[in-house]
Amino acid sequence: LTGQLNTAQTQAAEEQQRLKSEAEDAEDKRRAAVEELATKERTFADGIAKKDNEILALSQQVRKLMKREKPKILRPGPDGDVLAASAGAGIVVLNRGKKDRMMPGLTFHVYNFGKGGQKIDKGFVTVLDVMGTTSTARVVEVFSPMRPLTSGDLIESPVYDMEEPVHMFLLGTFRKYGKSDAAARLETLGVMVDDKVTIDTNYLVIGTPTVEDENLRESDAYKRAQELGITVITEKQLSMFLRY
Protein backbone atom coordinates (compact mmCIF):
# COMPACT_ATOMS: atom_id res chain seq x y z
CA LEU A 1 0.00 0.00 0.00
CA THR A 2 2.85 2.35 0.82
CA GLY A 3 4.41 1.67 -2.60
CA GLN A 4 1.11 2.28 -4.35
CA LEU A 5 0.63 5.51 -2.39
CA ASN A 6 4.09 6.71 -3.34
CA THR A 7 3.43 5.87 -6.98
CA ALA A 8 0.10 7.70 -6.94
CA GLN A 9 1.69 10.74 -5.30
CA THR A 10 4.47 10.76 -7.89
CA GLN A 11 1.95 10.51 -10.73
CA ALA A 12 -0.15 13.27 -9.18
CA ALA A 13 2.92 15.50 -8.86
CA GLU A 14 3.87 14.83 -12.47
CA GLU A 15 0.32 15.53 -13.64
CA GLN A 16 0.28 18.73 -11.61
CA GLN A 17 3.58 19.82 -13.17
CA ARG A 18 2.28 18.97 -16.67
CA LEU A 19 -0.88 20.99 -16.11
CA LYS A 20 1.17 23.87 -14.70
CA SER A 21 3.43 23.83 -17.79
CA GLU A 22 0.41 23.77 -20.10
CA ALA A 23 -1.12 26.67 -18.16
CA GLU A 24 2.12 28.65 -18.44
CA ASP A 25 2.32 27.91 -22.20
CA ALA A 26 -1.28 28.97 -22.62
CA GLU A 27 -0.59 32.21 -20.68
CA ASP A 28 2.49 32.90 -22.85
CA LYS A 29 0.42 32.35 -25.99
CA ARG A 30 -2.30 34.64 -24.60
CA ARG A 31 0.21 37.39 -23.86
CA ALA A 32 1.76 36.98 -27.32
CA ALA A 33 -1.70 37.13 -28.92
CA VAL A 34 -2.57 40.26 -26.91
CA GLU A 35 0.73 41.93 -27.90
CA GLU A 36 0.26 40.95 -31.55
CA LEU A 37 -3.29 42.33 -31.49
CA ALA A 38 -2.08 45.57 -29.88
CA THR A 39 0.69 45.88 -32.51
CA LYS A 40 -1.81 45.32 -35.30
CA GLU A 41 -4.17 47.88 -33.75
CA ARG A 42 -1.34 50.43 -33.55
CA THR A 43 -0.29 49.67 -37.12
CA PHE A 44 -3.89 49.95 -38.28
CA ALA A 45 -4.36 53.22 -36.39
CA ASP A 46 -1.11 54.59 -37.86
CA GLY A 47 -2.29 53.51 -41.31
CA ILE A 48 -5.64 55.22 -40.82
CA ALA A 49 -3.93 58.40 -39.60
CA LYS A 50 -1.58 58.35 -42.59
CA LYS A 51 -4.48 57.87 -44.98
CA ASP A 52 -6.42 60.64 -43.24
CA ASN A 53 -3.45 62.97 -43.72
CA GLU A 54 -3.18 61.96 -47.39
CA ILE A 55 -6.91 62.52 -47.88
CA LEU A 56 -6.63 65.92 -46.15
CA ALA A 57 -3.70 66.93 -48.37
CA LEU A 58 -5.53 65.80 -51.50
CA SER A 59 -8.67 67.62 -50.39
CA GLN A 60 -6.65 70.81 -49.91
CA GLN A 61 -5.16 70.39 -53.38
CA VAL A 62 -8.60 69.84 -54.87
CA ARG A 63 -9.90 72.97 -53.12
CA LYS A 64 -6.96 74.95 -54.44
CA LEU A 65 -7.53 73.66 -57.94
CA MET A 66 -11.22 74.45 -57.72
CA LYS A 67 -10.48 77.97 -56.44
CA ARG A 68 -7.64 78.57 -58.90
CA GLU A 69 -8.60 81.14 -61.49
CA LYS A 70 -7.57 80.59 -65.06
CA PRO A 71 -4.21 82.29 -65.70
CA LYS A 72 -4.58 85.93 -66.73
CA ILE A 73 -3.00 85.30 -70.10
CA LEU A 74 -6.02 83.16 -71.00
CA ARG A 75 -8.87 84.36 -68.84
CA PRO A 76 -11.12 87.21 -69.92
CA GLY A 77 -11.00 90.43 -67.99
CA PRO A 78 -8.33 93.08 -67.50
CA ASP A 79 -6.02 93.82 -64.55
CA GLY A 80 -7.04 97.46 -64.52
CA ASP A 81 -7.99 100.54 -66.53
CA VAL A 82 -6.36 103.63 -67.92
CA LEU A 83 -7.92 106.57 -66.06
CA ALA A 84 -6.24 109.31 -68.07
CA ALA A 85 -3.69 109.61 -70.86
CA SER A 86 -1.46 112.44 -72.01
CA ALA A 87 -0.32 111.72 -75.56
CA GLY A 88 2.17 114.58 -75.58
CA ALA A 89 3.83 113.67 -72.29
CA GLY A 90 3.71 109.94 -72.91
CA ILE A 91 2.21 109.35 -69.47
CA VAL A 92 -0.94 107.50 -68.41
CA VAL A 93 -2.69 107.17 -65.06
CA LEU A 94 -3.83 103.69 -63.99
CA ASN A 95 -6.56 102.79 -61.50
CA ARG A 96 -4.31 100.52 -59.44
CA GLY A 97 -2.15 101.65 -56.52
CA LYS A 98 -0.34 100.43 -53.42
CA LYS A 99 -3.49 98.88 -52.00
CA ASP A 100 -3.71 96.78 -55.17
CA ARG A 101 -0.12 95.45 -54.93
CA MET A 102 1.00 97.68 -57.79
CA MET A 103 4.79 97.98 -58.09
CA PRO A 104 7.05 100.42 -59.94
CA GLY A 105 8.61 98.74 -62.95
CA LEU A 106 5.62 96.56 -63.79
CA THR A 107 4.85 96.59 -67.51
CA PHE A 108 1.31 96.17 -68.82
CA HIS A 109 -0.11 95.37 -72.21
CA VAL A 110 -2.75 97.97 -73.15
CA TYR A 111 -5.75 97.01 -75.25
CA ASN A 112 -9.39 97.73 -75.87
CA PHE A 113 -12.31 96.28 -77.79
CA GLY A 114 -13.72 97.51 -81.07
CA LYS A 115 -16.95 96.84 -82.87
CA GLY A 116 -18.18 93.30 -82.53
CA GLY A 117 -16.01 92.77 -79.46
CA GLN A 118 -12.79 92.46 -81.46
CA LYS A 119 -9.71 92.93 -79.26
CA ILE A 120 -7.47 95.81 -80.33
CA ASP A 121 -3.87 95.64 -79.07
CA LYS A 122 -2.62 99.19 -78.50
CA GLY A 123 0.78 99.10 -76.78
CA PHE A 124 2.75 98.79 -73.53
CA VAL A 125 3.20 100.99 -70.46
CA THR A 126 5.62 100.69 -67.53
CA VAL A 127 4.69 101.88 -64.04
CA LEU A 128 6.78 104.80 -62.70
CA ASP A 129 5.18 106.00 -59.46
CA VAL A 130 2.63 104.30 -57.22
CA MET A 131 0.18 106.14 -54.98
CA GLY A 132 -2.51 104.77 -52.70
CA THR A 133 -5.17 103.96 -55.27
CA THR A 134 -3.59 105.06 -58.56
CA SER A 135 -0.26 104.99 -60.34
CA THR A 136 1.43 106.76 -63.23
CA ALA A 137 3.04 104.85 -66.06
CA ARG A 138 5.30 105.74 -68.97
CA VAL A 139 4.17 104.79 -72.47
CA VAL A 140 6.96 102.57 -73.82
CA GLU A 141 5.32 101.44 -77.05
CA VAL A 142 2.31 102.37 -79.17
CA PHE A 143 1.54 99.95 -81.95
CA SER A 144 -0.15 102.49 -84.20
CA PRO A 145 -0.30 106.32 -84.13
CA MET A 146 -3.87 105.92 -85.33
CA ARG A 147 -4.72 104.16 -82.05
CA PRO A 148 -3.20 106.22 -79.21
CA LEU A 149 -3.69 105.17 -75.61
CA THR A 150 -6.77 106.79 -74.14
CA SER A 151 -8.90 106.86 -71.03
CA GLY A 152 -10.92 103.64 -70.73
CA ASP A 153 -8.24 101.38 -72.21
CA LEU A 154 -7.60 98.13 -70.36
CA ILE A 155 -4.32 96.72 -69.02
CA GLU A 156 -3.08 93.21 -68.33
CA SER A 157 0.13 91.47 -67.30
CA PRO A 158 0.97 87.85 -66.41
CA VAL A 159 3.30 89.04 -63.63
CA TYR A 160 0.66 91.05 -61.78
CA ASP A 161 -2.17 90.03 -59.49
CA MET A 162 -3.90 92.57 -57.27
CA GLU A 163 -4.92 89.97 -54.68
CA GLU A 164 -1.94 87.67 -54.17
CA PRO A 165 1.61 87.15 -55.48
CA VAL A 166 2.06 85.45 -58.84
CA HIS A 167 4.14 82.26 -58.73
CA MET A 168 6.43 81.35 -61.64
CA PHE A 169 8.83 78.49 -62.34
CA LEU A 170 11.71 79.13 -64.75
CA LEU A 171 12.67 76.13 -66.87
CA GLY A 172 15.80 75.90 -69.00
CA THR A 173 18.39 78.54 -69.85
CA PHE A 174 17.50 82.22 -70.17
CA ARG A 175 19.77 83.69 -72.83
CA LYS A 176 19.13 87.42 -72.54
CA TYR A 177 20.21 88.09 -68.96
CA GLY A 178 20.35 84.61 -67.49
CA LYS A 179 17.90 82.80 -65.23
CA SER A 180 19.23 84.34 -61.99
CA ASP A 181 18.86 87.88 -63.32
CA ALA A 182 15.38 87.14 -64.66
CA ALA A 183 14.41 85.69 -61.26
CA ALA A 184 15.82 88.73 -59.45
CA ARG A 185 13.90 91.07 -61.75
CA LEU A 186 10.67 89.14 -61.14
CA GLU A 187 11.17 89.18 -57.37
CA THR A 188 11.60 92.97 -57.36
CA LEU A 189 8.17 93.13 -59.01
CA GLY A 190 6.60 90.99 -56.27
CA VAL A 191 6.60 87.71 -58.21
CA MET A 192 7.41 84.51 -56.32
CA VAL A 193 9.94 82.40 -58.25
CA ASP A 194 9.33 78.77 -57.25
CA ASP A 195 12.13 76.22 -56.95
CA LYS A 196 9.76 73.51 -58.17
CA VAL A 197 6.38 73.24 -59.88
CA THR A 198 3.59 73.03 -57.32
CA ILE A 199 -0.15 73.53 -57.20
CA ASP A 200 0.55 77.20 -56.33
CA THR A 201 2.55 77.83 -59.50
CA ASN A 202 0.70 80.12 -61.93
CA TYR A 203 3.10 80.06 -64.88
CA LEU A 204 5.92 77.90 -66.16
CA VAL A 205 8.30 80.04 -68.20
CA ILE A 206 10.16 77.91 -70.71
CA GLY A 207 13.58 79.05 -71.91
CA THR A 208 16.06 77.19 -74.09
CA PRO A 209 17.60 73.76 -73.43
CA THR A 210 20.83 73.67 -71.44
CA VAL A 211 22.30 71.11 -73.86
CA GLU A 212 21.53 70.60 -77.54
CA ASP A 213 19.76 67.26 -77.27
CA GLU A 214 17.65 68.26 -74.24
CA ASN A 215 13.88 68.45 -74.69
CA LEU A 216 12.41 70.68 -72.01
CA ARG A 217 8.91 69.48 -72.82
CA GLU A 218 9.95 66.00 -71.70
CA SER A 219 11.17 67.23 -68.31
CA ASP A 220 9.44 66.32 -65.06
CA ALA A 221 8.72 70.00 -64.37
CA TYR A 222 6.98 70.49 -67.71
CA LYS A 223 4.95 67.29 -67.33
CA ARG A 224 3.95 68.33 -63.80
CA ALA A 225 2.82 71.71 -65.11
CA GLN A 226 0.72 69.96 -67.76
CA GLU A 227 -0.88 67.74 -65.11
CA LEU A 228 -1.81 70.76 -62.98
CA GLY A 229 -3.09 72.80 -65.91
CA ILE A 230 -0.43 75.50 -65.43
CA THR A 231 -0.01 77.92 -68.31
CA VAL A 232 3.30 77.73 -70.16
CA ILE A 233 4.77 80.94 -71.59
CA THR A 234 8.10 81.55 -73.32
CA GLU A 235 11.01 83.70 -72.23
CA LYS A 236 10.20 86.01 -75.15
CA GLN A 237 6.63 86.48 -73.89
CA LEU A 238 7.88 87.16 -70.38
CA SER A 239 10.55 89.59 -71.60
CA MET A 240 7.85 91.84 -73.06
CA PHE A 241 6.53 92.41 -69.54
CA LEU A 242 9.99 92.69 -67.95
CA ARG A 243 11.11 95.07 -70.70
CA TYR A 244 14.41 93.37 -71.47
Side-chain angles (χ1 to χ4, degrees):
L1 290 174
T2 300
Q4 290 177 351
L5 178 61
N6 290 337
T7 300
Q9 289 175 340
T10 301
Q11 290 176 346
E14 291 176 349
E15 181 65 13
Q16 184 179 8
Q17 185 61 40
R18 184 183 68 79
L19 292 174
K20 182 179 179 181
S21 296
E22 289 181 355
E24 290 175 349
D25 289 343
E27 180 62 20
D28 290 341
K29 289 179 180 180
R30 186 192 69 79
R31 288 198 192 99
V34 169
E35 290 177 2
E36 183 180 2
L37 179 60
T39 300
K40 288 183 176 180
E41 287 177 345
R42 286 193 297 269
T43 301
F44 181 75
D46 291 343
I48 290 295
K50 183 178 179 180
K51 291 298 181 184
D52 285 343
N53 290 334
E54 290 176 356
I55 290 171
L56 178 61
L58 288 172
S59 297
Q60 291 173 342
Q61 289 188 359
V62 169
R63 283 195 295 272
K64 282 186 177 182
L65 283 172
M66 291 176 68
K67 292 171 65 176
R68 177 200 286 272
E69 295 182 20
K70 288 185 177 297
K72 287 186 283 295
I73 205 166
L74 293 180
R75 75 177 187 220
D79 288 317
D81 304 330
V82 174
L83 291 177
S86 173
I91 296 294
V92 298
V93 178
L94 308 177
N95 70 335
R96 294 288 181 262
K98 290 181 180 178
K99 74 176 186 64
D100 307 305
R101 304 179 63 88
M102 184 63 84
M103 300 273 293
L106 277 169
T107 295
F108 289 88
H109 169 226
V110 183
Y111 66 99
N112 215 318
F113 293 99
K115 294 180 179 180
Q118 182 179 5
K119 186 176 182 180
I120 301 172
D121 297 319
K122 303 185 72 172
F124 285 94
V125 298
T126 298
V127 177
L128 297 176
D129 298 311
V130 180
M131 284 68 75
T133 58
T134 62
S135 57
T136 58
R138 175 173 56 90
V139 178
V140 295
E141 186 174 0
V142 176
F143 295 151
S144 171
M146 303 298 293
R147 294 195 297 270
L149 309 190
T150 61
S151 173
D153 285 343
L154 308 174
I155 60 172
E156 66 179 1
S157 170
V159 298
Y160 171 74
D161 190 308
M162 64 182 292
E163 296 180 354
E164 58 186 21
V166 173
H167 287 253
M168 288 188 170
F169 178 82
L170 309 183
L171 177 64
T173 299
F174 284 59
R175 292 185 172 181
K176 188 89 176 188
Y177 286 116
K179 183 185 291 185
S180 60
D181 288 343
R185 172 67 174 149
L186 286 167
E187 288 169 352
T188 63
L189 297 176
V191 176
M192 305 293 291
V193 180
D194 298 338
D195 58 1
K196 62 181 179 180
V197 176
T198 71
I199 193 171
D200 294 317
T201 305
N202 302 104
Y203 295 91
L204 181 144
V205 187
I206 189 167
T208 57
T210 306
V211 294
E212 290 185 3
D213 60 347
E214 183 181 23
N215 185 353
L216 296 179
R217 297 179 186 275
E218 292 297 325
S219 66
D220 292 339
Y222 186 88
K223 292 178 180 177
R224 177 65 171 160
Q226 293 293 98
E227 291 174 358
L228 293 175
I230 295 168
T231 294
V232 177
I233 62 176
T234 65
E235 180 190 6
K236 183 177 180 180
Q237 287 174 294
L238 180 64
S239 69
M240 291 189 298
F241 294 93
L242 299 184
R243 306 311 296 175
Y244 73 79

